[in-house]
Amino acid sequence: MTPPPVIRARTASLHWLLAILVAVLAGPAAAATALPSMRLERALAVAADTEFFPESSPARQVALPDDWSASSPGEVSAMWYRVTFDAEGVRANGELLGLYVERACSSVAVLLNGKLIHVSGRLMEPVSRNCQRPQLIAVPGALLEARGNQLDLKVVGFPLHRVASHQRAGGLSAIELGPHVALMTKHRWRTAFAINLPQVITGSLVLVGSLIFAMGWANRPQSFLAYYGALLIGWALVLSRQWVSDMPWPNASSEFLLAILATFVTFAAVQFLMRYAGERRRWIDLGLPVQCAVMPLSLMVAGAQNLHAMATFWYVVLAVQIGAASAFYLRKVWPDRRRQFWLMLGLGCAMGLAAALEFGAQQVGIDQRIVDAAQLLPPLLFMGLGLRMVQQYGRALSDAQNDRVELERRVQEAAAQIERNFAQLADMKVEQVTERERKRIAADLHDDLGAKLLTIVHTSDNERISTLAREALEEMRLSVRGLTGKPVPLLNALGDWRAEVMSRLSQAGVDGHWHSPTEEDVPQMLSARAYVQTTRILREAVSNIIKHSGASRCTVRCTIADGDFQLIVQDNGKGIPMELDGRLDRGHGMATMKHRAKQLQGQCLVESGPGYGTVIRLTLPVDRNVAPA
């Protein structure tokens, strides 16, 4: 599987860093084992922009390295240096000789005994910017004399007041003359450290910064990512000054752009620290863009002659702003985010060290190689923090994805629950409508049909009609009771059934016996539907005994066990005749009785035979018939 671009870039960067580290470690050792070289540290210097060394101009003796900001503070654009040396000692072994110039700012031309042997870049505007790039020059042996060789170097650069930083002021380092192989090792080491390493870091900063900026742009609540990405990109542009040699515009424009770039870096750094701390101040949001506009105007007003002074003033102001924002951020995160506090404190200390060393280089002459090393430390830490942010963002994105999946699952569960609730509400609504309709029908039956039946009972002269009307009235009242849906205490139902059954048996001349539990054993309630259906089953059973059994004795037993109510009706009649083909549910309403019991989730069993009577067993689960029907 091909690794992502970020991983490939990080791997390439690590390979470069490893190679440079090997060069750093191997360089001094190799240089130590090489043959001794000649170090040239004294020269004659003449400020002149001529084609050759001005023989007629008065020259002064200078020590190398020569820094124009100290030795030539005036308006100098070109300086000739002449070094005289004897080549007897270095020519003896016959090796190819080389000249090593560690720093010639900004560009240099080299002549040996009047013959041009090397030019590092453009010597006129726009002048090549090679202040950080070491020069290794092969010395033709045919041009060397045994004694009295003249080495002339024309350095084209800029005085301190025309550059924004002391590092880019003109000057020349000491010169080494020796075996080309030995000097090549030193040159490679210096090039890797001063040119190649900044190139790798610049590319890495642009890559990581662009990725972080895109993440912040896509996720506006985490805008600090966008500012940090802009900070990395801005720092990469600042670092590119060490290895970018040729610009298509004059030096003044380059210095002007580099100074302006400092305000952009400050803008991104302050906003990142404030947003990363969870703070947003309107006056900062307005003040920083205004500052980005004011600084270029002030540099334009100051002009090229005062560029260094004005840029130094602004660098101090910008450094104070970043320091204040860093202090605010550290104070803000100290109570809750200690790990982040120490990480950012280390980054701030590295930045402070780099700034202090650069200031020291400008004021007290610290070795420029130490300053270069210190300047590489902050971008490395920036890149490390950026990669950590990318990792945290990836982890947060993964967590957000998992949260989204979990949220979708919960939404689906909530939607299903809402659907169930809605169905239940719909059922309840239907039940309420049904209940109201039942009550309306019950009221109509009671008020209309009941009144008419009662009139027939009291006014009819025909006893049979009056009896039928009375039975119809009782059946109507039972139906109305079922429609109203009011639960009935089982104890009350037993009382009603006992009174009705014993009365009917007595009127028919059948000896009746009733057995039921005591009041303490019957705490259950019976739904209206169960009460009505049980009443009809019991009436049907008693009617069969009276009309068809020819029994003289009937016993009714009521029991409650394991949540079931059992009603047993037994007679001593002639039983169900065999003419019904062995189907006990074909006569005397047996099928109707069993159907009613089944509707109540119960059962009705019939036991009968010729000559020993009939037993009807009704079993109902009373616990499931508590709610109104």
Side-chain angles (χ1 to χ4, degrees), residues 275-602:
R275 302 293 177 87
Y276 204 28
E279 292 288 335
R280 183 172 183 177
R281 304 294 172 85
R282 182 172 178 81
W283 62 273
I284 294 179
D285 294 343
L286 296 176
L288 289 175
V290 171
Q291 178 176 264
C292 291
V294 170
M295 180 186 181
L297 293 176
S298 66
L299 294 177
M300 293 174 62
V301 171
Q305 299 299 322
N306 300 306
L307 178 62
H308 180 75
M310 183 58 69
T312 301
F313 165 77
W314 275 108
Y315 289 158
V316 173
V317 172
L318 299 179
V320 169
Q321 294 177 9
I322 295 177
S326 301
F328 175 83
Y329 171 83
L330 294 175
R331 183 179 64 84
K332 185 76 174 179
V333 302
W334 169 254
D336 302 323
R337 292 176 279 179
R338 295 295 176 88
R339 184 176 180 181
Q340 192 170 311
F341 170 86
W342 292 114
L343 180 64
M344 296 299 291
L345 179 62
L347 181 60
C349 291
M351 290 287 298
L353 176 63
L357 287 175
E358 183 168 353
F359 179 78
Q362 297 184 23
Q363 302 299 323
V364 298
I366 296 177
D367 192 332
Q368 186 62 37
R369 288 172 293 185
I370 299 177
V371 177
D372 293 342
Q375 287 179 339
L376 295 179
L377 183 59
L380 289 174
L381 294 177
F382 279 148
M383 190 163 54
L385 180 60
L387 293 175
R388 181 174 179 269
M389 287 184 175
V390 172
Q391 183 184 24
Q392 290 178 338
Y393 184 86
R395 188 182 300 113
L397 193 64
S398 176
D399 294 341
Q401 179 69 15
N402 294 334
D403 292 342
R404 185 183 66 82
V405 173
E406 179 66 17
L407 180 61
E408 290 179 353
R409 185 185 65 81
R410 293 188 178 184
V411 168
Q412 291 176 355
E413 291 179 353
Q417 183 63 36
I418 291 174
E419 291 179 358
R420 289 193 295 269
N421 293 339
F422 182 79
Q424 292 176 358
L425 289 174
D427 293 341
M428 292 175 61
K429 186 67 175 178
V430 171
E431 186 64 29
Q432 290 175 357
V433 172
T434 303
E435 182 66 20
R436 286 197 299 268
E437 190 64 19
R438 284 177 178 176
K439 291 181 179 180
R440 185 189 65 78
I441 294 173
D444 292 344
L445 288 174
H446 182 273
D447 295 341
D448 298 337
L449 184 57
K452 293 178 179 178
L453 290 174
L454 188 61
T455 300
I456 293 173
V457 170
H458 292 292
T459 59
S460 177
D461 295 332
N462 190 316
E463 182 65 23
R464 178 172 175 79
I465 294 177
S466 179
T467 300
L468 291 175
R470 186 179 292 106
E471 291 177 355
L473 182 61
E474 290 296 327
E475 187 65 27
M476 184 272 297
R477 288 175 176 171
L478 183 62
S479 298
V480 169
R481 189 166 190 175
L483 288 173
T484 57
K486 294 180 181 179
V488 179
L490 182 55
L491 185 64
N492 294 348
L494 290 175
D496 294 343
W497 294 334
R498 182 178 184 279
E500 181 179 342
V501 169
M502 298 305 291
S503 174
R504 293 184 63 190
L505 291 175
S506 176
Q507 292 177 4
V510 178
D511 184 16
H513 297 273
W514 182 275
H515 302 281
S516 61
T518 61
E519 181 176 353
E520 292 78 7
D521 298 332
V522 190
Q524 291 86 351
M525 298 290 290
L526 202 62
S527 69
R529 184 183 180 192
Y531 173 77
V532 171
Q533 299 291 13
T534 305
T535 301
R536 288 174 173 163
I537 291 172
L538 188 57
R539 284 181 179 176
E540 184 68 26
V542 173
S543 297
N544 289 339
I545 292 172
I546 295 174
K547 296 178 180 179
H548 306 293
S549 69
S552 61
R553 179 183 176 86
C554 177
T555 302
V556 181
R557 293 184 180 87
C558 302
T559 60
I560 298 176
D562 300 329
D564 290 336
F565 168 64
Q566 191 174 55
L567 184 65
I568 303 174
V569 182
Q570 183 176 6
D571 64 66
N572 61 350
K574 58 185 179 181
I576 300 176
M578 294 300 294
E579 290 81 3
L580 298 177
D581 297 330
R583 295 287 302 277
L584 299 180
D585 56 353
R586 288 198 175 185
H588 311 306
M590 294 298 177
T592 303
M593 294 166 62
K594 290 185 177 182
H595 180 69
R596 294 184 189 277
K598 188 175 181 180
Q599 288 181 340
L600 300 177
Q601 306 299 320

Side-chain angles (χ1 to χ4, degrees), residues 82 189 408 569 609 620:
R82 169 166 287 181
W189 173 77
E408 290 179 353
V569 182
L620 299 178

Side-chain angles (χ1 to χ4, degrees), residues 161-178:
H161 60 267
R162 294 182 61 187
V163 293
S165 174
H166 184 278
Q167 300 173 13
R168 296 186 293 279
L172 178 67
S173 67
I175 304 169
E176 290 189 54
L177 175 65

Side-chain angles (χ1 to χ4, degrees), residues 37-40 85 90 97-99 139 175-179 183:
S37 60
M38 182 186 302
R39 186 174 177 85
L40 308 176
F85 65 94
V90 295
L97 298 182
L99 284 173
V139 178
I175 304 169
E176 290 189 54
L177 175 65
L183 296 177

